[in-house]
Amino acid sequence: MATIIDGKALSEKIRAEVAEEIARSALKPHLAVVLVGDDPASHTYVGMKEKACRAAGVLSSVHKLNLDVTQAELMALIADLNHDEFVHGILVQLPLPRHLDQMAVFGAIRPEKDVDGFHPQNVGLLNLGLPGALVPCTPAGVMEMLKSISYTLKGKHVVVVGRSNVVGKPMSTLALLAGATVTITHRYTENLAVYTRQADVLIVAVGKRDLITADMVKPGAVVIDVGTNKVGNKLVGDVDFAGLQEVASHLTPVPGGVGPMTIALLIKNTLQAAKMQHG
Ligand code: GUN
């Protein structure tokens, strides 16, 4: 029977550590969240982020923009937030409406305030293994989960399913930097199971329910489920959780796995951003 990695408990521990550091310091970290349109899931996530900020002693402000906001208006808001010395972190909630150029928006955020780690400078620093990068929250949270079970990636085969800029690519980079052999698979991969069955650590971030079944996993593998799929009003991941319990050594649940970790790492990144800006 697989051991369940409790992301909720681990995220609370990390959030408490950040809260303690903020309480001990003279810093007043402030996260500005930009929310465009009325996507209900995005509103829910932003609400959770605000609540987590409050609990940790991080100030937060939410800038709600109409669905039909222009690129120029959004860029003007980013410029204001870049110049506001009381704002340390800027997060533009995804997905953005199609008429907006996401890459231009993330490229406009001051890298030191880019708590998502999506700015090309942060992506570059991370890829080169250089210090000073703000690291994307979800993959950073997955690394914390592996650390919590004292898992050493060096020499292990990590298979990542999904190649997004938000999860798959930075996740692969972090695993590579930790000394793993990394295989990245994605929607065009032929014979996916051939790769997933070789994984010592299987990280799945696709958004497709039951994509990974027990026959696709090596016995004893660590399986990290980053997927979130709505089934009715229930949330499920990308893996067949019940089936994998018999095969995996460790498994993350959905909900209560990677999701809370992402928020904890966002709070941690906001503190890091505030520290970088105050020298
Ligand atoms: N939407 C889903 N995941 C994320 C994330 O990590 N960052 C942002 N900004 N939006 C998201």
Side-chain angles (χ1 to χ4, degrees):
M1 205 65 175
T3 301
I4 307 303
I5 305 177
D6 186 344
K8 191 163 176 286
L10 183 57
S11 70
E12 279 162 11
K13 181 167 164 265
I14 292 170
R15 282 163 55 176
E17 284 165 7
V18 174
E20 201 185 296
E21 184 172 345
I22 292 170
R24 274 192 280 109
S25 77
L27 293 167
K28 276 261 163 258
H30 180 165
L31 174 68
V33 179
V34 179
L35 177 56
V36 181
D38 43 21
D39 177 57
S42 288
H43 276 258
T44 303
Y45 291 135
V46 167
M48 287 159 73
K49 288 170 184 178
E50 278 186 277
K51 202 173 144 204
C53 280
R54 216 162 25 241
V58 172
L59 299 167
S60 68
S61 52
V62 180
H63 301 262
K64 291 187 177 142
L65 301 175
N66 286 331
L67 189 62
D68 61 358
V69 67
T70 65
Q71 182 80 23
E73 286 166 336
L74 178 52
M75 296 297 261
L77 173 60
I78 301 291
D80 285 347
L81 296 171
N82 279 340
H83 288 122
D84 187 336
E85 61 174 316
F86 297 108
V87 168
H88 306 100
I90 303 171
L91 180 138
V92 179
Q93 183 66 27
L94 295 176
L96 284 175
R98 275 172 192 282
H99 71 278
L100 296 170
D101 179 347
Q102 187 175 305
M103 282 297 169
V105 171
F106 286 116
I109 296 172
R110 241 183 84 187
E112 297 82 1
K113 296 191 177 189
D114 169 37
V115 288
D116 260 324
F118 296 163
H119 187 284
Q121 179 175 306
N122 284 318
V123 176
L125 287 173
L126 178 64
N127 273 268
L128 292 168
L130 292 173
L134 284 158
V135 178
C137 304
T138 301
V142 171
M143 294 301 281
E144 290 290 338
M145 293 178 111
L146 293 172
K147 203 169 114 189
S148 78
I149 59 164
S150 303
Y151 195 91
T152 308
L153 283 171
K154 200 175 203 170
K156 298 296 185 202
H157 188 190
V158 173
V159 176
V160 179
V161 188
R163 55 165 179 177
S164 72
N165 291 324
V166 176
V167 184
K169 280 193 245 173
M171 187 72 250
S172 305
T173 303
L174 286 171
L176 189 60
L177 289 169
T181 300
V182 180
T183 299
I184 309 174
T185 65
H186 48 77
R187 68 170 73 232
Y188 302 121
T189 298
E190 292 175 8
N191 304 316
L192 179 63
V194 167
Y195 302 95
T196 60
R197 270 189 213 118
Q198 294 176 39
D200 297 309
V201 179
L202 179 61
I203 303 171
V204 191
V206 173
K208 203 167 164 189
R209 181 189 180 190
D210 287 337
L211 177 67
I212 305 295
T213 45
D215 58 304
M216 297 170 74
V217 175
K218 177 162 84 175
V222 174
V223 180
I224 309 282
D225 190 351
V226 189
T228 50
N229 307 288
K230 273 291 245 324
V231 177
N233 53 11
K234 262 185 61 182
L235 202 64
V236 301
D238 288 348
V239 314
D240 169 16
F241 187 79
L244 260 63
Q245 286 217 31
E246 309 300 320
V247 184
S249 72
H250 294 80
L251 189 53
T252 67
V254 178
V258 175
M261 294 300 294
T262 298
I263 296 181
L265 271 290
L266 170 65
I267 306 295
K268 197 170 173 177
N269 276 359
T270 305
L271 172 59
Q272 188 192 330
K275 285 202 269 191
M276 290 196 294
Q277 283 155 69
H278 288 284

